[in-house]
């Protein structure tokens, strides 16, 4: 429950920031072109709001709704989710959106997307300035990786070290390496000191999404970082930080997963643990707890293997942030083609899937990296040419520019309704997938 709350708070905080910035983009451009903004709300407020105020001599009501599914900026004289038919039935007023030329209206509509992308670049820049860019090169993972059954079935083996995809060097483990491997024709790995070439079949990404087993995880030795408690089984048996566990009841356990796998089958049992201390192999008998644990924490792989850190000065961070933002957007757009496959559709997730992107414990860098990534997603999704989204309004405005006449208001109204129905259906479907995954796992 505690982990759920920590993730939920991060999710709400992150989405609140993104929604406020997005709607502020619409707001500031509308005010710039002297278009009246009637409401500026975080979250939606059907029937009532949690908080609202209207400053003296202001035309805008500011507030917080009770339904945390986004937010909105109600622009006067615009067919939007408010479906204000009474206002649209009246003659156009100079301060209304519909009375302005197509150019200003187009800028008002794309402002939210623009602000979200600029926010992502700003966050990436500040992350690079404050924390730098630290990563673990694939070539430094001396024990290679564990691979899912999907990848083992096409020739990968646990312990393989990724080298190249279609003869292009794979530098770091992450989304880029995963994308490169699934889209390559051949991948080269280092296996037992020799290079091996693995042929990659077509449709590997679809297989990964269908099997839901993922790609790979880092393989590293189980070196004790600290003991959970002075009275833990490991502490009472005399194990110490920096001891390296290498066997359980005579079964070789060279890496972390092998240790936890063997202990998981020995709950509340006396086990013989082999370990190295100061280069000397020793053993000790320990009784595991009800979960098969010894009460120890391992040293993470980025502390065992040599990492690379790129540092940036304040002014250097901005071009680096732009490159990272553009690169992230390109990667996300590239992945979108899989959404329109059967496997991709079943992989869609809602708020539960988004919440799981955040760590179980607060980590400032991870929170802001995730927020920047979500800001890029929000920008891209909003610019899609779907009625009710910013991109839908942009398409109708471009039609107006080309055809030199506005679409009929009734048509725009019906298009808005259709778009909202599609979005709600997608919202229900994506969150339904989350619920199914929760009960099926």
């Amino acid at each position: 429950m505690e982990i759920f709350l920590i993730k939920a708070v991060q999710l709400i905080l992150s989405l609140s920031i993104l929604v406020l910035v997005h709607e502020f983009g619409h707001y500031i451009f509308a005010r710039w072109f002297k278009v009246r903004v009637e409401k500026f709300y975080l979250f939606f407020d059907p029937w009532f709001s949690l908080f609202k105020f209207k400053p003296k001599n202001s035309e805008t009501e500011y507030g917080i709704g009770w339904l945390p599914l986004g937010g909105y900026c109600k622009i006067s004289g615009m067919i939007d989710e408010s479906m204000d038919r009474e206002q649209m039935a009246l003659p156009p007023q100079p301060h209304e959106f519909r009375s302005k030329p197509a150019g200003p209206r187009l800028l008002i509509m794309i402002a939210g997307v623009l602000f979200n992308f600029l926010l992502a670049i700003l966050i990436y820049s500040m992350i690079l300035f404050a924390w730098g860019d630290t990563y673990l090169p694939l070539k430094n993972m001396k024990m290679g990786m564990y691979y899912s059954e999907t990848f083992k079935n096409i020739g990968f083996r646990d312990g393989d070290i990724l080298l190249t995809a279609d003869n292009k060097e794979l530098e770091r483990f992450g989304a880029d390496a995963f994308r490169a491997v699934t889209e390559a024709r051949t991948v080269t790995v280092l296996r037992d000191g020799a290079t091996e070439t693995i042929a990659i079949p077509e449709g590997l990404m679809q297989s990964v999404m269908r099997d839901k087993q993922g790609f790979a995880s880092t393989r590293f030795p189980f070196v004790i970082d600290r003991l959970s408690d002075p009275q833990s089984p490991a502490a009472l048996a005399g194990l110490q930080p920096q001891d390296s566990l290498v066997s359980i009841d005579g079964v070789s356990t060279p890496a972390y997963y092998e240790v936890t796998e063997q202990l998981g089958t020995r709950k509340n049992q006396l086990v013989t643990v082999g370990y190295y201390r100061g280069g000397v192999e020793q053993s000790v008998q320990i009784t595991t707890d009800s979960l098969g644990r010894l009460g120890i924490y391992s040293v993470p792989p980025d502390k065992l293997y040599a990492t690379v850190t790129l540092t940036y000065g304040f002014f250097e961070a901005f071009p680096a942030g732009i490159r990272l933002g553009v690169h992230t957007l390109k990667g996300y757009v590239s992945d979108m083609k899989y959404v329109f496959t059967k496997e991709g559709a079943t992989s869609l997730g809602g708020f539960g899937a988004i919440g799981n992107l955040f760590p179980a414990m607060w980590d400032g860098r991870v929170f802001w990296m995730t927020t920047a990534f979500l800001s890029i997603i929000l920008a891209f999704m909003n610019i899609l040419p779907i009625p009710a989204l910013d991109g839908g309004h942009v398409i109708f405005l471009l039609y107006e520019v080309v055809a030199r006449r506005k679409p009929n208001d009734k048509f725009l109204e019906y298009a808005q309704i259709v778009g909202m129905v599609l979005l709600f259906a997608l919202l229900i479907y994506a969150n339904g997938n989350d619920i199914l995954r929760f009960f099926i796992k």
Side-chain angles (χ1 to χ4, degrees):
M1 185 62 179
E2 181 182 357
I3 292 176
F4 171 80
L5 290 175
I6 292 172
K7 291 191 173 188
V9 168
Q10 292 181 85
L11 173 64
I12 293 172
L13 176 59
S14 178
L15 293 183
S16 296
I17 293 170
L18 301 184
V19 168
L20 285 172
V21 169
H22 181 91
E23 299 303 335
F24 182 72
H26 293 309
Y27 173 88
I28 200 68
F29 270 65
R31 295 302 301 271
W32 185 14
F33 291 113
K34 303 187 185 312
V35 175
R36 181 178 298 173
V37 178
E38 299 176 8
K39 283 187 172 185
F40 185 94
Y41 264 70
L42 173 64
F43 306 152
F44 293 110
D45 62 329
W47 304 298
F48 69 94
S49 60
L50 299 178
F51 168 79
K52 64 180 178 180
F53 77 101
K54 190 173 184 178
K56 188 177 181 180
N57 300 324
S58 174
E59 299 169 336
T60 307
E61 176 183 295
Y62 303 89
I64 300 175
W66 62 269
L67 188 59
L69 296 178
Y72 68 98
C73 176
K74 188 178 185 307
I75 297 174
S76 183
M78 177 180 168
I79 298 176
D80 57 13
E81 61 271 10
S82 67
M83 301 303 292
D84 192 344
R85 293 185 176 91
E86 291 183 9
Q87 183 185 74
M88 298 305 295
L90 298 173
Q93 301 298 312
H95 63 265
E96 291 185 337
F97 177 83
R98 54 180 168 168
S99 299
K100 304 300 178 180
R105 283 185 283 132
L106 183 62
L107 291 175
I108 292 171
M109 291 316 307
I110 66 173
V113 169
L114 175 64
F115 270 48
N116 274 133
F117 186 65
L118 292 177
L119 174 65
I121 288 175
L122 177 62
I123 293 175
Y124 281 139
S125 300
M126 291 300 96
I127 288 173
L128 294 174
F129 172 64
W131 286 285
D133 179 15
T134 299
Y135 66 95
L136 176 57
L138 285 165
K139 63 183 179 182
N140 291 355
M141 297 181 186
K142 301 305 180 183
M143 296 186 74
M145 291 190 289
Y146 296 110
Y147 295 88
S148 69
E149 286 301 317
T150 304
F151 283 83
K152 287 180 181 178
N153 290 338
I154 64 172
F156 287 89
R157 295 182 189 174
D158 288 340
D160 285 352
I161 300 173
L162 292 171
L163 298 178
T164 65
D166 285 344
N167 298 317
K168 183 178 180 181
E169 182 182 1
L170 297 171
E171 185 179 11
R172 64 174 82 183
F173 182 51
D176 288 341
F178 173 54
R179 195 177 292 117
V181 169
T182 56
E183 295 179 353
R185 293 189 175 184
T186 59
V187 171
T188 303
V189 299
L190 184 65
R191 180 183 299 165
D192 298 327
T195 58
E196 295 282 344
T197 299
I198 301 171
I200 304 299
E202 290 186 11
L204 178 57
M205 180 65 84
Q206 285 89 332
S207 298
V208 174
M209 291 186 291
R210 182 186 63 247
D211 297 343
K212 296 180 173 58
Q213 295 181 339
F215 172 33
S217 59
T218 308
R219 190 168 183 261
F220 58 98
F222 197 127
V223 179
I224 297 177
D225 183 37
R226 59 188 174 89
L227 305 173
S228 63
D229 186 277
Q231 299 301 312
S232 68
L236 294 174
L239 288 179
Q240 301 174 8
Q242 298 309 308
D243 288 346
S244 180
L245 310 190
V246 293
S247 69
I248 303 295
D249 285 341
V251 178
S252 177
T253 56
Y256 175 87
Y257 176 73
E258 284 91 336
V259 173
T260 57
E261 183 180 43
Q262 290 298 320
L263 290 176
T265 64
R266 294 167 169 80
K267 301 173 183 178
N268 290 318
Q269 293 184 27
L270 184 66
V271 298
T272 300
V273 177
Y275 64 95
Y276 274 96
R277 179 184 294 170
V280 178
E281 186 173 4
Q282 305 179 47
S283 66
V284 65
Q285 290 190 317
I286 308 175
T287 300
T288 63
D289 66 13
S290 60
L291 296 175
R293 297 179 302 193
L294 303 178
I296 53 181
Y297 294 96
S298 68
V299 178
D302 59 353
K303 296 294 190 295
L304 291 170
Y305 298 134
T307 58
V308 173
T309 299
L310 305 176
T311 58
Y312 298 88
F314 182 77
F315 294 106
E316 295 173 315
F318 287 97
I322 293 172
R323 290 194 296 271
L324 181 54
V326 172
H327 180 77
T328 303
L329 176 61
K330 286 181 177 179
Y332 184 74
V333 172
S334 173
D335 293 341
M336 280 298 293
K337 60 179 175 286
Y338 298 112
V339 172
F340 302 101
T341 64
K342 177 182 177 182
E343 296 81 7
T346 59
S347 298
L348 285 175
F351 292 113
I354 298 172
N356 281 327
L357 295 175
F358 294 95
M361 295 181 64
W362 172 259
D363 184 312
R365 182 181 182 279
V366 176
F367 171 80
W368 287 113
M369 283 292 290
T370 305
T371 299
F373 178 60
L374 292 177
S375 194
I376 285 178
I377 293 177
L378 183 60
F380 176 75
M381 295 301 291
N382 260 285
I383 205 63
L384 292 176
I386 300 173
L389 292 179
D390 295 344
H393 291 285
V394 168
I395 287 296
F396 294 137
L397 281 166
L398 292 176
Y399 166 81
E400 180 183 336
V401 171
V402 173
R404 297 184 181 277
R405 63 186 180 89
K406 292 183 180 181
N408 182 273
D409 281 349
K410 275 294 179 185
F411 170 79
L412 293 177
E413 184 180 314
Y414 291 142
Q416 183 75 18
I417 293 172
V418 170
M420 291 174 66
V421 170
L422 289 173
L423 292 178
F424 276 117
L426 180 60
L427 186 67
I428 293 170
Y429 176 80
N431 285 282
N433 279 346
D434 285 346
I435 295 171
L436 287 175
R437 281 191 284 266
F438 177 79
F439 285 105
I440 291 175
K441 69 179 181 179

